[in-house]
């Protein structure tokens, strides 16, 4: 597949406004202003563009459900908080080509008839955020952002909000609180942000990768977009592969590309003599998959059917030298640390799980610990306030299933077999 | 509005109710932490889990949070379902992961929601094997003690402190299981309502720092329904005592007045009753004697004086005592008055007269519903909970306007604040009356005119406008002008006054016209020889203290009964200490005209009589037949029935007071060079009784002369410069504090300074630079 989203990316020298325009950038604005907003929404819906932020909700449907008659002002929030471990796709988009993002939010805001865009950038992506701000200023000077853009009568303001830097800020309602200057706790989802979002006004939130597809869909059509995917997937997809592979990196490939191809072809496979123990398909908050799942197409529904989630399409690979208990503990520590502290099961349950996992990893586990962890997960996941906690327990519950023998041997022998093996091997 | 089923019971619910709210209203217990009737649902603690049966029998039941789930007609809810119980049990297990297991030494013990919920839902054994998290506590001032390790992160404290009471120096910081509830830096909490965090916090994080100094287990406390004696709002309280001493005061729910909260003056002012200087032994000429001896001495003097006896009641004495004193004086053909300052008398009676003819003041819960309000004066410091009610109105979008001469905490929330010198308040009210009548909107107005036009617009366009006057800092004509404005706005508009004293309304009903002036003159002319002062402090009066001190020299006998060591009590020939409010029963009539009974909470080891008893005993010694309080009161108020403590209170059927006319608006003396008008700079702990509460007094702002920067510039006075103030009673040197909230030509001074100078709000003063 020819690169679509990554074609003009260059993190060291991102294209200037002129260079980007020369390469065909901002053409979609004319196409957009030739359409009625609801026509664009229909095209995006027909393209079956599913949200790239993790949940895979249909972008066009989300836009349509907000309603063309939503009261003004309306907001569009572009999510570049990207803090999911293993995920670095949005970072490439941000550092490599800010004008692509600006073009995308203009067209999307036009489709939504939103007059305000807030681009929420992960705190650690400060340089990228400043580059984006400079690019917005360029675009403003060129009349691409501001009032009556290209004589269309459409007015748009774009603001960049650099995050204070917490994982939970990526959750859409926590993000709204953060933008408003409040504690980034998630909000109760009734009413939805599309009804009462930023400052109680209708707000649409999309991941940046979702949005950068929109200009291409508009220029090339819904059918073109759908045809780009394979194995039932639609459109191009940014995949991150990391962990125990030879060439970790970002790959733009058809949505639906199997994990096997990603790991063994594009990421160079494992080190010599190693075998695959398992992998996480979609970033830290998705369930482990096993070698038997290597041929599952990396698309939303097939991965869900295999018992995990496509999430951010960030594969993390465990080879046979990686202790899955340690790996799971590592993730659990992350989630315990990043819990926003709002609701009890997540705030106090995750550190509890991390404590048990630590004990097992340190050889102090008890036989009843595995059942205890499962019992706790059964409450933490479903009974927490937001989607953070279900994601946080997913790696653990799946790890307990996929790698149970390893947990049992840690407990039975009082030590980590991988430690010993790795030490003697070293 | 509909009916749902909870474990087989039919439970009615109202529109927009969630399951938890409807269940609690029907006395069905669902465990919960973060929900609070005043603060609403949050969904954070996850304790209120219930199971809802599916409509489609092929589907599985759902476990939901009952505080977030709307009540719906016909749904089947189970609190007892195993799945819901399991969730609640796990939540308790999680909350106890970090909570210390040291309940025996926790101040919250016995009224801890975490204890109760743990027993009700929790697992009996601990499974967590790790270490507990520990926090560092903060010093939050003399009122509230902090123990962060006990926090269960329900966010109630910040939701009360920030969202409800609109304070800004207590909040949630940090994240994960380290969320910290405190101040950015250590230091006293600044909200006048801070103490409520003690009650909203379900555990022992925030506890009563004053109670702590002399602690008792709550199950050992004697309690009885009481009424706060510290202002005219009449909040319902539940004091607690043990071993003959008062330990603390808590809120007691009254649906129309204070509901779940009280102010810090009401919570901590009670320290007056344990003050080391409190008079506990009777005295004659400075010598301690028995109560009987003092009584006999008093009777002897009164017998000698008879119709040359005067009696001064009080707005902080209960209805019974004032009525009996009045009756006693009638029997003696003596003279009766109730105020130490004629201006306060005319203002208070004018306010009560206005309330009577306006159809009664709104309750606090009605004030919360206002969509526009005009406040004349500094409400926070005269009726703190009325301020909190207005903050609720503000939160729902009400436009607040403030007309005042000095600083006021409420201005932060005001859409329009009009700051004018005390003498100009009346003229501005008259203007406002005209504006409201004509709704004229001429452009190019003077700034104050524009503000007046804005205020008039808020009031005339509102559905439920409320006008509130602080009567202590208003002259009678201004009180009348505010009432006329209410009248002009029509029946939608409601009128209220913050009155000076817990029983100011009741006392005003008993006050003879112009009685204070008549009393003073009678003393000065020698016509009154013996004066009985009951719970009043004329010698400490801000404006007239000096005159009273001189008048006292004309008396042959000065008899004082009180429960605090006022200047007046100290100057008594015969001192009759009486029971404090928590040690006796009685009735206060609040600003609405609502008579509320309070019950004796406890007895001291050596009990003191209450004032009504002292008067009855005195009458007995005088061989006068005095009817009891009930008879006296039903004589005055037809059909009077003493309101029972713990009930909602009742209104009095009182004859209408007539407004006493005074100099009309506009005739007040104008300032002249070198003279400044005085405005009272009060603070929320400022009341006679509370000034004997050390913890509150610690928070009083230091005395200073507050002046507007522009006025200071004109007179070339600098910030922090020492100036000499000269009043009729004396001279005071103070440092200047520039303050943007003070009117031009005006100087804002604390009550103690006013008393030293012998001036009151609105009086003139000379200011001299010391250079
Ligand atoms: C804990 C948590 C963290 C999240 N972090 C991100 C993030 O960093 N970036 C992102 O785009 N979406 C994130 N999401 C998903 C967003 O809430 C939201 O669903 C998404 O931005 C919607 O965009 P999309 O429909 O285009 O995918 C997160 C969700 C959760 C529950
Ligand atoms: S699940 Fe975790 S992140 Fe989400 S609200 Fe609860 S504590 Fe916060
Ligand atoms: S301090 Fe008390 S009220 Fe505040 S969050 Fe903690 S437990 Fe709740
Ligand atoms: S508002 Fe007045 S009555 Fe209420 S608690 Fe405070 S001082 Fe007492
Ligand atoms: S009371 Fe419902 S979640 Fe706390």
């Amino acid at each position: 597949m020819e690169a679509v989203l990554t074609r003009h990316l260059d993190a060291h020298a991102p294209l200037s406004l002129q260079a980007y325009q020369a390469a065909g950038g901002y053409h979609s604005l004319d196409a957009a202003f030739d359409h009625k907003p609801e026509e664009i929404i229909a095209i995006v819906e027909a393209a079956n563009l599913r949200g790239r932020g993790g949940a895979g909700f249909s972008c066009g449907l989300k836009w349509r459900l907000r309603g063309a008659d939503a009261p003004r002002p309306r907001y569009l929030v572009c999510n570049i908080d990207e803090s999911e471990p293993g995920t670095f796709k949005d970072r490439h988009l941000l550092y490599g080509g800010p004008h692509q993002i600006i073009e995308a939010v203009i067209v999307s805001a036009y489709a939504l008839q939103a007059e305000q865009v807030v681009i929420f950038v992960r705190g650690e992506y400060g340089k990228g955020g400043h580059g984006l701000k400079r690019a917005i200023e360029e675009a403003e000077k060129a009349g691409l952002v501001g009032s009556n853009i290209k004589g269309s009568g459409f007015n748009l303001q774009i603001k960049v909000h650099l995050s204070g830097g917490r994982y939970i800020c990526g959750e859409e309602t926590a993000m709204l609180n953060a933008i408003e200057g409040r504690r980034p706790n998630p909000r109760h989802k009734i009413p939805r942000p599309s009804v009462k979002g930023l400052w109680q006004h209708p707000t649409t939130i999309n991941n940046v990768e979702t949005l950068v597809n929109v200009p291409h869909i508009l220029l090339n059509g819904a059918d073109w977009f759908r045809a780009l995917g394979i194995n039932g997937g639609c459109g191009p997809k940014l995949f991150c592969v990391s962990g125990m592979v030879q060439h970790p990196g970002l790959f733009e490939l058809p949505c639906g590309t199997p994990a096997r191809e990603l790991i063994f072809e594009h990421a160079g496979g494992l080190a010599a003599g190693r075998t695959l123990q398992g992998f996480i398909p979609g970033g830290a908050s998705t369930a482990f998959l096993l070698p038997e799942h290597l041929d599952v197409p990396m698309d939303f529904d097939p991965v869900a059917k295999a018992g995990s989630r496509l999430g951010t399409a960030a594969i993390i690979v465990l080879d046979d030298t990686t202790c899955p208990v340690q790996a799971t503990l590592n993730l659990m520590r992350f989630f315990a640390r990043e819990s926003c502290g709002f609701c009890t099961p997540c705030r106090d349950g995750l550190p509890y799980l991390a404590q048990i996992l630590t004990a097992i990893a340190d050889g102090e586990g008890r036989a009843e610990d595995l059942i205890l962890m499962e019992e706790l997960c059964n409450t933490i996941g479903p009974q927490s306030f937001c989607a953070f906690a279900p994601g946080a327990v997913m790696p653990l519950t799946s790890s307990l299933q996929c790698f149970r023998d390893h947990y049992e041997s840690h407990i039975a022998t009082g030590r980590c077999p991988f430690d010993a093996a790795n030490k003697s091997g070293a | 509005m509909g009916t749902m089923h909870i474990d087989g019971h039919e439970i009615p619910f109202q529109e927009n109710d969630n399951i938890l709210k409807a269940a609690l209203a029907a006395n069905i217990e669902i465990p919960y932490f973060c929900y609070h009737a005043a603060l609403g649902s949050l969904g954070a603690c996850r304790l209120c889990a219930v199971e809802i049966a599916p409509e489609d029998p092929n589907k599985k039941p759902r476990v939901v949070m009952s505080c977030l789930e709307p009540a719906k007609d016909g749904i089947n809810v189970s609190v007892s379902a195993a799945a819901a119980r399991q969730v609640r049990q796990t939540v308790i297990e999680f909350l106890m992961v970090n909570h210390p297991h040291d309940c025996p030494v926790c101040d919250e013990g016995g009224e801890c929601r975490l204890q109760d919920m743990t027993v009700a839902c929790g697992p009996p054994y601990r499974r967590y094997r790790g270490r507990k998290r520990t926090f560092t506590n903060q010093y939050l001032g003399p009122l509230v003690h902090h123990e962060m390790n006990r926090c269960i992160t329900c966010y109630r404290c910040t939701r009360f402190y920030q969202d409800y009471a609109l304070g800004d120096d207590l909040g949630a910081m940090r994240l994960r299981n380290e969320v910290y509830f405190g101040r950015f830096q250590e230091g006293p909490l600044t909200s006048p309502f801070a103490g409520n965090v003690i009650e909203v916090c379900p555990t022992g994080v925030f506890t009563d720092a004053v109670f702590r100094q002399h602690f008792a287990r709550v199950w050992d406390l004697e309690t009885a329904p009481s009424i706060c004696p510290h202002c005219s709002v009449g909040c319902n309280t539940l004091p607690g005592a043990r071993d003959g001493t008062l330990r603390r005061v808590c809120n007691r729910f009254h649906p129309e007045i204070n509901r779940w909260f009280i102010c810090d003056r009401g919570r901590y002012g009670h320290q007056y009753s344990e003050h080391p200087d409190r008079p506990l032994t009777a005295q004659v000429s400075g010598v301690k004697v028995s109560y009987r001896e003092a009584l006999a001495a008093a009777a002897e003097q009164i017998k000698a004086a008879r119709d040359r006896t005067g009696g001064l009641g009080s707005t902080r004495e209960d209805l019974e005592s004032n009525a009996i004193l009045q009756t006693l004086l009638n029997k003696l053909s003596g003279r009766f008055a109730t105020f130490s300052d004629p201006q306060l008398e005319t203002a208070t009676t004018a306010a009560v007269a206005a309330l009577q003819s306006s159809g009664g003041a709104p309750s606090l819960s009605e004030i919360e519903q206002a969509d526009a309000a005009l406040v004349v004066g500094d409400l926070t410091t005269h009726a703190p909970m009325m301020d909190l009610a207005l903050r609720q109105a503000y939160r729902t979008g009400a436009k607040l306007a403030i007309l005042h001469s000095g600083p006021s905490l409420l201005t932060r929330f005001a859409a329009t604040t009009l700051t004018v010198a005390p003498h100009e308040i009346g003229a501005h009210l008259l203007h406002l009356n005209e504006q409201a009548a004509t709704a004229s909107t001429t452009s190019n107005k003077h700034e104050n005119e524009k503000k007046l036009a804005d205020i008039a617009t808020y009031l005339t366009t509102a559905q439920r406008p409320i006008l509130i006057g602080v009567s202590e800092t208003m002259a009678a004509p201004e009180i009348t002008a505010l009432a006329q404005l209410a009248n002009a706005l029509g029946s939608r508009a409601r009128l209220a006054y913050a009155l000076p004293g817990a029983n100011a309304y009741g006392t005003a009903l008993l006050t003879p016209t112009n009685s204070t002036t008549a009393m003073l003159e009678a003393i000065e002319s020698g016509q009154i020889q013996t004066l009985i002062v009951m719970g009043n402090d004329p010698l400490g009066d801000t404006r007239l203290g000096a005159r009273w001190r001189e008048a006292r020299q004309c008396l042959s006998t000065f008899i004082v009964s009180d429960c605090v060591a006022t200047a007046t009590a100290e100057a008594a020939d015969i001192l009759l200490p009486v029971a404090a409010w928590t040690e006796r029963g009685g009735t206060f009539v609040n600003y609405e005209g609502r008579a509320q009974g309070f019950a004796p909470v406890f007895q001291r080891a050596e009990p003191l009589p209450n004032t009504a008893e002292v008067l009855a005993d005195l009458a007995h010694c005088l061989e006068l037949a005095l009817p009891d309080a009930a008879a006296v009161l039903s004589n005055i108020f037809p059909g009077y029935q003493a309101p029972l403590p713990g009930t909602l209170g009742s209104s009095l059927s009182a004859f209408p007071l007539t407004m006493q006319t005074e100099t009309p608006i506009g005739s007040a003396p104008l300032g002249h060079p070198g003279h400044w008008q005085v405005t009272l700079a009060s603070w929320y702990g400022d009341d006679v009784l509370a000034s004997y509460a050390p913890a509150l007094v610690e928070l009083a702002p230091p005395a200073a002369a507050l002046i507007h920067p522009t006025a200071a510039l004109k007179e070339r006075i600098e910030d922090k410069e020492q100036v000499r103030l000269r009043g009729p009673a004396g001279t005071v040197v103070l440092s200047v504090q520039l303050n943007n909230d003070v009117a031009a030509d005006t100087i804002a001074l604390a009550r103690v300074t006013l008393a030293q100078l012998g001036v009151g709000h609105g009086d003139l003063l000379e200011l001299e630079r010391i250079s």
Side-chain angles (χ1 to χ4, degrees), chain A residues 166 168 183 185 188 190 336-352 355-356 359-360 364-366 368-369 372 375-376 379-380 382-386, chain B residues 42-46 49 63-65 68-70 86-87 90-95 97-98 126-131 133 152-155 172-180:
Chain A
R166 297 281 22 144
I168 193 58
R183 274 182 75 78
N185 293 328
H188 188 39
I190 301 171
R337 193 188 76 204
E338 291 300 323
S339 164
C340 82
F342 183 73
C343 73
T344 307
C346 168
R347 177 191 64 240
D348 290 328
L350 299 181
Y352 191 159
Q355 192 278 328
I356 301 172
I360 296 173
E364 287 161 13
R366 296 184 188 169
E368 65 271 21
D369 281 348
L372 174 59
E375 180 202 315
L376 299 181
T379 301
I380 297 170
Q383 301 306 337
S384 289
F385 186 76
C386 85
Chain B
L42 187 69
C45 74
R46 317 306 279 180
V63 174
V64 299
M65 294 306 139
L68 295 179
E69 193 73 14
Q86 164 69 42
V87 172
T90 307
V91 166
I92 293 290
E93 180 176 7
F94 287 158
L95 289 174
V97 160
N98 286 309
R126 182 172 181 79
R127 296 187 288 184
Y128 179 71
R129 309 199 292 274
R131 290 165 63 94
R133 157 211 70 194
I152 58 160
T153 327
C154 68
Y155 293 86
M173 287 164 277
R174 296 156 63 174
L175 73 167
R176 51 178 167 267
N177 60 352
E178 293 167 5
V179 182
Y180 189 90

Side-chain angles (χ1 to χ4, degrees), chain B residues 228-235 237 262-263 265-267 383-386:
Chain B
C228 175
H230 299 290
C231 89
S232 67
V233 173
C235 294
T237 57
I262 52 174
C263 78
R265 187 200 288 183
R267 187 179 303 275
M385 287 297 288
M386 225 187 260

Side-chain angles (χ1 to χ4, degrees), chain B residues 151-157 181 201-203 205-206:
Chain B
C151 179
I152 58 160
T153 327
C154 68
Y155 293 86
R156 277 185 177 193
C157 51
F181 296 84
C201 178
T203 76
V205 179
F206 297 112

Side-chain angles (χ1 to χ4, degrees), chain B residues 20 31-35 42-48 65-68:
Chain B
L20 179 60
Y32 67 91
F33 280 122
C34 64
Y35 172 82
L42 187 69
C45 74
R46 317 306 279 180
L47 187 67
C48 65
M65 294 306 139
S66 58
C67 70
L68 295 179

Side-chain angles (χ1 to χ4, degrees), chain B residues 82-324:
Chain B
R85 274 218 307 267
Q86 164 69 42
V87 172
R88 297 198 298 264
Q89 176 164 331
T90 307
V91 166
I92 293 290
E93 180 176 7
F94 287 158
L95 289 174
M96 291 307 293
V97 160
N98 286 309
H99 191 280
H101 284 193
D102 64 350
C103 293
V105 299
C106 173
D107 284 7
E108 190 81 359
E111 53 184 356
C112 174
R113 201 167 173 84
L114 181 58
Q115 276 187 351
D116 295 349
M117 294 297 107
T118 304
V119 171
C121 324
Y125 301 109
R126 182 172 181 79
R127 296 187 288 184
Y128 179 71
R129 309 199 292 274
R131 290 165 63 94
K132 287 179 198 279
R133 157 211 70 194
T134 49
F135 285 119
T136 310
N137 301 326
Q138 287 182 324
Y139 171 73
L140 298 176
L143 308 183
V144 179
H145 179 76
H146 195 217
E147 292 255 357
M148 250 313 283
N149 286 342
R150 306 190 187 283
C151 179
I152 58 160
T153 327
C154 68
Y155 293 86
R156 277 185 177 193
C157 51
T158 60
R159 284 148 71 215
F160 169 78
Y161 199 94
Q162 289 194 0
D163 303 350
Y164 192 92
L166 305 176
D168 55 11
D169 63 327
L170 178 85
M173 287 164 277
R174 296 156 63 174
L175 73 167
R176 51 178 167 267
N177 60 352
E178 293 167 5
V179 182
Y180 189 90
F181 296 84
R183 280 171 52 91
F184 178 61
Q185 283 179 320
E186 287 198 317
L189 295 169
T190 58
S191 167
F193 313 103
N196 289 298
V197 298
I198 295 164
E199 288 188 66
V200 296
C201 178
T203 76
V205 179
F206 297 112
T207 53
D208 186 330
V210 169
F211 183 25
R212 200 159 207 272
Q213 293 170 10
H214 194 188
F215 187 69
R217 282 302 179 189
V218 290
W219 56 81
D220 288 331
L221 291 178
E222 294 169 76
T223 62
S226 194
I227 303 295
C228 175
H230 299 290
C231 89
S232 67
V233 173
C235 294
N236 288 210
T237 57
L238 194 70
R242 171 148 169 85
D243 287 341
T245 53
L246 186 70
R247 306 299 176 88
R248 71 162 185 187
V249 167
C250 292
N251 155 75
R252 183 166 58 84
F253 186 82
H254 186 297
E256 290 156 23
I257 308 179
N258 51 306
R259 306 213 272 173
W260 303 270
F261 308 118
I262 52 174
C263 78
D264 285 0
R265 187 200 288 183
R267 187 179 303 275
Y268 299 103
H270 69 80
Q271 277 188 306
Y272 78 88
S273 78
E274 304 298 333
H275 194 280
D277 295 344
R278 175 175 167 191
L280 293 169
T281 317
Q283 288 182 22
V284 174
S285 309
V287 179
K288 289 188 176 169
V289 296
S290 74
Y291 170 58
R292 289 283 147 200
E293 286 166 316
L295 211 54
E300 197 179 316
Q301 297 302 325
I302 296 169
K303 260 186 207 155
R306 279 277 164 188
D307 62 347
R308 280 168 296 135
T309 304
L312 188 66
S314 165
T315 58
R316 68 175 155 91
E317 265 293 354
D318 50 33
L319 192 63
E320 290 82 352
S321 310
N322 278 292
I324 293 179

